[in-house]
Amino acid sequence: VWVVEFYAPWCSACRAFAPSYKNAARRGAEKETAAFEAVEFGAVNCAKNAKICNEWYGIRAYPTILAINEGLGTRTEYFGDKSEDDLLDWIEQVAAEWRFLAAASNLLVLKSPEAFKAAVLNASAFAVVAFSDGLDCQACKTTRTNLLRLSASLAAVGNETTRPVVAVVDCDRPTLAPLCYDDADLCDIEAEDDDNATLCH
């Protein structure tokens, strides 16, 4: 889990927060709890790295603190008080939750129409599927985080055959664009009303 502060040099709130963030990072590195074993701290100067702040993470205010895990594809933003103790408590909660999600969830990332058909259309179980315009945007990562939570909460439901399927489809992949945006099977259906007509692109 990377905890990253996004800041701007001209931001007075960032300058005021910097000592607290550095102390929190030092204290976090010294903690020996399981949740902090895989926590790293960093900071990004958004004046020098505008692409990272604006395009990659959609930062709109300074300072912004995000917890990020690229392996899981998760992200969450800190909205609490800027005190060291509150920040460290939040980080510990996030890290512990994400360790649990990594172990307990089974989120399927469907990368082809065939995989979608096998996992969703041909399955007898109930399915929850998110269609995402890529997997790297800020909203996409938030959605993926919530899907992991849903999957973990359903882990004890039923068995392998009956357990609800939780999946995400990356509509940014060229092979999946027809599935996401232009389902030919739907267009073969005679549109009897305006609602059906809108299904054909």
Side-chain angles (χ1 to χ4, degrees):
V1 179
W2 271 94
V3 178
V4 183
E5 178 203 8
F6 296 86
Y7 71 94
W10 45 260
C11 164
S12 58
C14 300
R15 289 195 296 271
F17 176 61
S20 294
Y21 182 71
K22 288 178 182 177
N23 285 335
R26 176 185 54 76
R27 289 172 57 191
E30 293 171 354
K31 283 182 176 284
E32 296 181 358
T33 62
F36 274 92
E37 283 180 0
V39 173
E40 299 287 348
F41 291 83
V44 176
N45 180 337
C46 291
K48 292 183 176 179
N49 301 282
K51 183 174 183 178
I52 294 173
C53 297
N54 300 332
E55 294 181 26
W56 293 8
Y57 292 103
I59 303 302
R60 295 184 177 87
Y62 307 112
T64 290
I65 302 160
L66 296 181
I68 304 161
N69 183 291
E70 292 298 331
L72 283 175
T74 54
R75 66 167 273 167
T76 189
E77 185 172 346
Y78 178 64
F79 293 105
D81 186 79
K82 295 295 194 292
S83 71
E84 294 174 36
D85 289 340
D86 286 355
L87 179 59
L88 287 169
D89 287 346
W90 174 77
I91 293 167
E92 189 163 21
Q93 291 170 10
V94 169
E97 181 196 22
W98 288 4
R99 285 170 64 97
F100 166 73
L101 294 180
S105 64
N106 182 28
L107 176 63
L108 301 179
V109 179
L110 304 178
K111 299 181 178 180
S112 69
E114 293 75 23
F116 179 82
K117 185 175 182 181
V120 179
L121 299 183
N122 289 346
S124 58
F126 177 80
V128 176
V129 183
F131 291 84
S132 178
D133 191 11
L135 298 177
D136 290 327
C137 71
Q138 55 179 330
C140 308
K141 289 180 185 277
T142 300
T143 298
R144 187 161 172 170
T145 305
N146 289 328
L147 289 172
L148 286 165
R149 290 174 177 141
L150 176 62
S151 175
S153 70
L154 295 172
V157 175
N159 55 40
E160 279 190 25
T161 305
T162 61
R163 185 173 300 119
V165 174
V166 182
V168 61
V169 174
D170 180 4
C171 294
D172 197 41
R173 296 175 73 95
T175 55
L176 286 164
L179 173 69
C180 296
Y181 304 113
D182 190 15
D183 189 337
D185 291 337
L186 292 175
C187 291
D188 288 338
I189 300 171
E190 273 191 48
E192 296 179 358
D193 54 50
D194 290 339
D195 288 338
N196 284 336
T198 61
L199 295 174
C200 299
H201 302 290

